[in-house]
């Protein structure tokens, strides 16, 4: 197994075994979005009004308290090449009365894993994770995000995959033993939501061995988002005046995807509001087929931005 594939396969919390509700996953991804490497304290504030504005959902205090109580008692099981690790999330959780703020103190052991998870996402990715409503879509989305540059996930044993999602317990009891139920209630809903609300377009294939489905693989490709994400979750380079941080982040991601690495070109593009807007428009047109540039889409973008001259055919 190559080193790159090994790293992907053992991507700790993404592939960890745990079962969270939709509400708990909202809190989990919101917490991940707040992590800052330059913060010295292990305590983070979660403003529930801010979370509600991001997701469009209303959060009841009693449900929140029950959710964090259960999150604190549930264990993450992480497999690495060297060891099996059992982790718990919180040292303490405090609700500031009348302020709608939860103060969360994280356990020392889990913090490195949370930062690793955060590094898998752009600001778009964390935003998309919060917009998904199926708890299974919220789990499958980061799994697929690991593999988007390769176009296909690794082959998952279906039983192991169900364990990751909390559908199969240690005693072998399967909450969805019928493949038709697994498709309808988990896979099909997750695929629909991820394709509608994120920058990924996915599909899945079930592989049979004899009469039994044995493995599952997801096909993954990027797509243009139908709507701009109206908020910023991950601190990145500062956007230029007049440009939303999420638009700036997406433009930088597009330059990476198109392999535009020249420092001078990148600085020129990302320091101009007009260029950032054009990059995002070009990406949308490219993904939706309005622009055809199969050979060198990055070069065509530089031409459109006026940064390089168009090549002309040599005279015969």
């Amino acid at each position: 197994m190559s080193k790159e594939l090994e790293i992907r396969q053992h991507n700790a919390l993404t592939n960890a075994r745990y079962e969270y509700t939709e509400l708990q996953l909202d809190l989990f991804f919101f917490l991940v979005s707040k992590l800052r490497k330059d913060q010295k304290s292990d305590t983070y504030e979660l403003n529930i009004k801010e979370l509600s504005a991001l997701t469009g959902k209303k959060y009841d205090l009693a449900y929140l308290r029950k959710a964090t109580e259960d999150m604190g008692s549930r264990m993450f099981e992480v497999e690495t090449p060297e060891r099996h690790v059992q982790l718990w999330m919180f040292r303490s959780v405090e609700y500031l009365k009348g302020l709608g703020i939860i103060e969360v103190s994280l356990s020392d052991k889990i913090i490195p894993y949370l930062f690793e998870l955060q590094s898998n996402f752009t600001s778009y990715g964390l935003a998309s994770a919060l917009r998904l409503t199926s708890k299974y879509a919220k789990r499958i989305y980061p799994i697929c995000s690991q593999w988007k540059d390769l176009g296909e996930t690794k082959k998952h044993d279906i039983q192991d995959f169900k364990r990751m999602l909390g559908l199969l317990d240690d005693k072998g009891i399967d909450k969805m033993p019928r493949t038709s139920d697994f498709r309808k209630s988990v896979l099909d809903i997750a695929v629909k939501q991820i394709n509608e609300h994120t920058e990924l377009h996915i599909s899945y294939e079930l592989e049979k061995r004899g009469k039994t489905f044995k493995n599952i693989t997801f096909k993954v490709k990027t797509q243009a988002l139908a709507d701009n994400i109206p908020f910023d979750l991950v601190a990145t380079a500062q956007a230029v005046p007049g440009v939303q941080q999420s638009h700036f982040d997406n433009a930088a991601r597009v330059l990476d995807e198109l392999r535009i690495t020249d420092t001078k070109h990148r600085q020129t593009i990302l320091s101009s509001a007009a260029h950032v807007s054009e990059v995002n428009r070009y990406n949308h047109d490219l993904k939706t087929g309005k622009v055809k540039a199969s050979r060198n889409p990055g070069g065509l973008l530089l031409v459109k931005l006026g940064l390089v001259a168009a090549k002309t055919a040599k005279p015969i």
Side-chain angles (χ1 to χ4, degrees):
M1 181 184 295
S2 72
K3 188 65 176 177
E4 182 182 25
L5 292 179
E6 183 179 348
I7 290 169
R8 291 169 191 270
Q9 184 168 343
H10 298 290
N11 199 322
L13 286 193
T14 300
N15 298 321
R17 179 180 169 188
Y18 65 95
E19 183 180 8
Y20 274 180
T21 65
E22 178 195 345
L23 171 56
Q24 289 168 336
L25 285 167
D26 279 349
L27 292 170
F28 179 62
F29 284 117
F30 191 45
L31 172 60
V32 170
S33 77
K34 297 295 182 182
L35 299 178
R36 298 291 180 264
K37 289 189 178 296
D38 58 352
Q39 179 169 316
K40 296 180 179 179
S41 170
D42 59 8
T43 299
Y44 290 85
E45 285 192 357
L46 303 182
N47 188 317
I48 300 305
K49 290 182 179 179
E50 181 185 352
L51 176 60
S52 184
L54 300 179
T55 63
K57 304 171 189 175
K58 293 184 178 180
Y59 297 97
D60 180 82
L61 176 60
Y63 285 113
L64 285 168
R65 291 176 63 178
K66 178 61 176 172
T68 53
E69 176 187 341
D70 290 344
M71 290 171 74
S73 63
R74 289 183 182 176
M75 176 180 66
F76 288 86
E77 291 187 276
V78 175
E79 293 287 347
T80 74
E82 295 82 20
R83 62 186 65 193
H84 177 92
V85 185
Q86 296 178 331
L87 296 165
W88 286 263
M89 179 78 72
F90 305 134
R91 287 196 297 109
S92 66
V93 179
E94 298 183 27
Y95 285 76
L96 307 188
K97 295 181 179 180
L99 298 180
I101 290 175
I102 306 174
E103 283 191 353
V104 175
S105 295
L106 299 172
S107 69
D108 295 339
K109 291 287 187 179
I110 204 164
I111 289 176
Y113 291 98
L114 292 175
F115 274 110
E116 179 189 42
L117 176 63
Q118 187 192 59
S119 70
N120 292 340
F121 292 99
T122 63
S123 57
Y124 276 70
L126 285 165
S128 297
L130 284 169
R131 294 200 300 178
L132 301 170
T133 58
S134 161
K135 67 178 183 179
Y136 301 117
K138 286 177 181 287
R139 287 300 312 279
I140 292 171
Y141 171 66
I143 291 170
C144 290
S145 292
Q146 293 180 77
W147 302 87
K148 62 186 177 183
D149 57 328
L150 294 184
E152 182 176 285
T153 68
K154 79 180 187 86
K155 187 179 294 186
H156 290 274
D157 177 90
I158 289 179
Q159 298 299 94
D160 290 342
F161 191 71
K162 284 185 173 183
R163 286 190 185 93
M164 285 169 55
L165 299 182
L167 291 171
L168 188 67
D169 66 17
D170 290 332
K171 296 179 180 179
I173 298 175
D174 192 338
K175 295 180 182 179
M176 293 185 189
R178 296 174 56 188
T179 301
S180 58
D181 293 336
F182 183 48
R183 282 180 180 269
K184 181 179 179 181
S185 300
V186 177
L187 299 177
D188 292 345
I189 290 175
V191 167
K192 184 175 187 295
Q193 289 195 8
I194 290 168
N195 291 348
E196 287 181 354
H197 298 297
T198 80
E199 86 288 5
L200 299 185
H201 187 280
I202 71 170
S203 60
Y204 66 88
E205 294 179 358
L206 298 178
E207 177 185 289
K208 269 188 173 181
R209 183 175 297 174
K211 295 183 177 181
T212 305
F213 286 105
K214 178 64 177 174
N215 299 308
I216 181 170
T217 306
F218 291 89
K219 302 287 186 182
V220 187
K221 61 182 180 180
T222 58
Q223 63 178 354
L225 285 166
D227 301 307
N228 289 317
I229 302 298
F231 52 89
D232 171 46
L233 290 174
V234 179
T236 58
Q238 183 63 42
V240 295
V243 176
Q244 291 184 27
Q245 185 72 47
S246 59
H247 296 182
F248 177 89
D249 293 344
N250 192 57
R253 179 176 62 83
V254 171
L255 297 183
D256 291 339
E257 291 177 354
L258 297 179
R259 298 182 180 179
I260 297 177
T261 58
D262 181 85
T263 302
K264 184 177 180 180
H265 285 331
R266 290 179 69 93
Q267 288 178 346
T268 300
I269 294 168
L270 295 175
S271 63
S272 165
H275 283 345
V276 168
S277 178
E278 180 60 30
V279 168
N280 288 323
R281 185 182 302 110
Y282 175 82
N283 182 55
H284 182 272
D285 290 347
L286 190 65
K287 296 290 176 61
T288 55
K290 292 182 180 179
V291 169
K292 305 293 183 182
S294 58
R295 295 187 62 182
N296 186 8
L300 179 59
L301 174 60
L302 294 177
V303 171
K304 286 181 172 292
L305 293 174
L307 299 180
V308 299
K311 292 183 179 179
T312 57
K314 294 182 179 180
I316 299 175

